[in-house]
Amino acid sequence: MPNWGGGAKCAACEKTVYHAEEIQCNARSFHKTCFICMSCRKGLDSTTVAAHESEIYCKSCYGKKYGPKGYGYGQGAGALSSDPPGQDAGPQPHDSKPRPASSKSTANKLSQKFGSSDRCPRCSKAVYAAEKVMGAGKPWHKTCFRCILCGKSLESTTVTDKDGELYCKVCYAKNFGPKGFGLGNAAMLEERQ
């Protein structure tokens, strides 16, 4: 049956969505009032939505439902697990000998699932795409992207690097720039007097 003059159908209520009230997520249309978390019913926007197949959640509910579980993740004691709820992550009956769990493989699986295998050179913590700034060929947190000497926050136009460390242009010039009379080097001025 033709859709006379209307818009797309809302993925939540299946009523017509007109352009003025349309929000799109994962190639599906929603009314502004229908664009809510499937668990807590909180209103969503482009910065707070997390989609899983045909369902939409706020980031908090998505993490509770599909994120890692175990000690340190707000789920109580137990082994780290990123399996969906209701699935047993225990040993399979066809395993003939137990293999020791590798922390690298667990970290690698988590980084594949959540999109980060990069480490910040300053704090050695994982750098996720939303907070990643590139400098000296390495990924940095926005908060760690500072001059090593004066602590000034840096941008792509003000950063210089030497031996993998970040400097503002002023500190770099003072420490690694040309030295001599007329270049602002206090040591040369003291020798002449």
Side-chain angles (χ1 to χ4, degrees), residues 11 23 40 56 78 82 85 89 139 154 162 170 172 180:
I23 295 178
C40 69
I56 56 173
S82 57
L154 300 171
K162 182 167 175 70
V170 173
Y172 183 87

Side-chain angles (χ1 to χ4, degrees), residues 2-188:
N3 189 2
W4 301 108
K9 295 290 182 193
C10 175
C13 71
E14 298 181 2
K15 293 182 181 175
T16 302
V17 181
Y18 297 98
H19 293 289
E21 59 183 357
E22 182 180 29
I23 295 178
Q24 289 192 341
C25 177
N26 284 0
R28 297 179 322 150
S29 297
F30 294 87
H31 292 104
K32 289 179 184 176
T33 55
C34 294
F35 197 59
I36 57 176
C37 175
M38 295 189 77
S39 291
C40 69
R41 315 296 289 167
K42 208 170 17 173
L44 301 172
D45 62 33
S46 63
T47 61
T48 60
V49 69
H52 182 79
E53 295 170 0
S54 64
E55 302 170 334
I56 56 173
Y57 298 94
C58 65
K59 292 191 186 243
S60 176
C61 290
Y62 179 87
K64 288 176 188 170
K65 189 164 184 167
Y66 299 106
K69 289 156 188 61
Y71 185 74
Y73 289 92
Q75 301 290 325
L80 178 64
S81 166
S82 57
D83 295 327
Q87 290 185 358
D88 184 19
Q92 302 298 321
H94 66 273
D95 288 347
S96 59
K97 58 182 177 181
R99 286 174 272 149
S102 167
S103 62
K104 283 187 179 179
S105 67
T106 303
N108 192 25
K109 286 178 187 174
L110 287 174
S111 68
Q112 287 173 353
K113 183 168 184 166
F114 296 106
S116 172
S117 59
D118 297 329
R119 296 256 171 218
C120 176
R122 180 88 24 100
C123 69
S124 301
K125 293 182 181 174
V127 180
Y128 297 96
E131 58 188 353
K132 183 193 261 186
V133 179
M134 292 298 290
K138 299 175 188 169
W140 301 76
H141 293 109
K142 288 178 185 174
T143 54
C144 296
F145 199 65
R146 299 180 167 279
C147 175
I148 188 71
L149 298 176
C150 69
K152 179 181 176 185
S153 186
L154 300 171
E155 296 176 5
S156 61
T157 57
T158 59
V159 68
T160 53
D161 68 280
K162 182 167 175 70
D163 300 327
E165 216 24 276
L166 303 178
Y167 299 90
C168 66
K169 292 193 180 279
V170 173
C171 290
Y172 183 87
K174 282 182 186 174
N175 291 282
F176 308 109
K179 310 249 187 288
F181 184 72
L183 297 171
N185 188 333
M188 288 299 290

